[in-house]
Amino acid sequence: MQSPSARDSQTPINTDQNSLIRNITISGLPGSGSTTLLQELKNKLQFHGWRGFSGGEFMRSYAEENGFIDPATGKLHHDATVYGEDFDRQVDYGMRERLESESGWILESWLSGFLAQNVPGVLKILLVCSDDAVRIDRIVNRDEVSVEEAKHHLLDRANKNLTKWSAMYAKEWQDWVVAVGKAKSDEEIDFYKPELYDIVVDTYSTNKNDTLEIVLKAIYASRPELQPPPTSA
C-alpha cells in the first residue's frame, strides 16, 4: 500500500476551476480524522441546508443488514471485498452524480475526492496522518480493540480495498487523472496523490480545531454568506 504524501495547506492548493464551492468531499485512510471533520463541518453548515454523508457508515450499515458482519461482535469495519464490484460502482457513481447535479453536500469516504475529479464546484479535502502509530491509537480508542487488532486491520483492510479499487477504476484513473495531466500514464494509481486535492492537511501535526479552521477559511473565501454573523460585543 502506498501511503499518501503529507502536506499541510491553509488555502486551496490545486483548484480545478474558478467557481463557487457547491459541494465538499473529505478523503482519508482510517484514523486520519475524516469522520471527525465531517461531523464538525455538518455542525457549522447545517443551518444553511448542508447535509453530510459518510460512505463508511453507510457501507457498515448495509453489511450489518445483509449479514456480512455481526453488529454485536464486529467492532472493526470490514473490507470492500465483501461486496461485488457492481454494488461498489453503484454507490460510488451515486456520489459522483450527486456532486454533479446537487448542491450542499459534504461527502466523506475513501474515494470521494477521486470521484469528484473534474466536477466543477467541489472542494476536495485530503486528510493524512504521517505517523501510523497515531492512526493506530485512534482506531484502538474509537473501536475499542487491541493494538495488534488495529495494526492488522489498518494494513490488511487498506491493502484489500486499494487493490480492488485500483483494478476497478483503472479506466477512470486514465480518463479523470492522466488525460488531464495530473499523473503520467505509467504512474502507479494513487487515489491520495496530493495534486488531486484542493486542501491537504496532516492531522498528526494539525489538531482537529486547526484543521476545521483551515477548511472553513477556504469555504468562507468562496462563500462568504456561509460565515456566522459577528457576535455582539
Side-chain angles (χ1 to χ4, degrees):
M1 178 187 67
Q2 185 175 6
S3 298
S5 301
R7 178 176 64 191
D8 286 342
S9 177
Q10 295 190 6
T11 57
I13 55 174
N14 188 36
T15 50
D16 289 328
Q17 59 283 316
N18 295 318
S19 59
L20 292 178
I21 294 171
R22 297 186 302 107
N23 295 295
I24 299 166
T25 62
I26 307 170
S27 304
L29 294 174
S32 64
S34 58
T35 305
T36 298
L37 180 58
L38 169 66
Q39 294 302 324
E40 296 286 345
L41 284 178
K42 282 172 58 179
N43 291 339
K44 290 289 186 180
L45 300 176
Q46 62 181 331
F47 298 109
H48 296 278
W50 285 64
R51 299 146 290 173
F53 172 82
S54 169
E57 291 307 312
F58 171 80
M59 297 299 253
R60 184 179 180 87
S61 296
Y62 177 87
E64 290 176 355
E65 291 170 3
N66 289 272
F68 294 134
I69 56 174
D70 181 351
T73 58
K75 295 181 179 179
L76 290 168
H77 281 244
H78 54 286
D79 64 72
T81 60
V82 302
Y83 314 112
E85 290 187 4
D86 287 345
F87 179 74
D88 260 351
R89 285 185 178 278
Q90 180 181 353
V91 173
D92 290 345
Y93 267 85
M95 284 194 285
R96 185 172 173 87
E97 290 168 7
R98 200 173 281 181
L99 294 171
E100 290 175 328
S101 62
E102 301 180 23
S103 298
W105 279 105
I106 310 166
L107 303 184
E108 180 266 329
S109 80
W110 289 44
L111 294 185
S112 60
F114 170 69
L115 296 166
Q117 294 302 304
N118 311 318
V119 177
V122 180
L123 179 68
K124 300 177 291 298
I125 303 161
L126 173 64
L127 299 187
V128 303
C129 179
S130 56
D131 188 333
D132 281 347
V134 173
R135 290 176 58 216
I136 290 167
D137 186 63
R138 290 171 179 170
I139 293 171
V140 167
N141 292 321
R142 182 192 69 191
D143 295 328
E144 299 179 337
V145 296
S146 70
V147 171
E148 288 305 313
E149 286 177 308
K151 280 183 182 178
H152 176 75
H153 173 72
L154 194 73
L155 296 175
D156 186 62
R157 181 181 174 216
N159 278 327
K160 287 181 177 178
N161 287 1
L162 296 177
T163 298
K164 176 185 179 181
W165 295 331
S166 293
M168 277 180 57
Y169 292 123
K171 181 180 184 300
E172 285 83 353
W173 176 265
Q174 292 294 320
D175 293 344
W176 299 346
V177 178
V178 175
V180 297
K182 293 181 181 177
K184 297 178 180 177
S185 59
D186 59 349
E187 190 174 327
E188 180 184 356
I189 292 177
D190 179 6
F191 297 114
Y192 308 112
K193 184 179 174 70
E195 288 76 14
L196 304 184
Y197 296 85
D198 302 312
I199 294 177
V200 182
V201 179
D202 185 348
T203 61
Y204 170 66
S205 56
T206 309
N207 66 38
K208 68 177 184 179
N209 292 329
D210 289 342
T211 298
L212 177 62
E213 287 304 312
I214 289 169
V215 174
L216 287 175
K217 181 178 179 181
I219 295 170
Y220 295 156
S222 171
R223 300 284 303 275
E225 75 277 12
L226 299 179
Q227 296 185 72
T231 56
S232 57

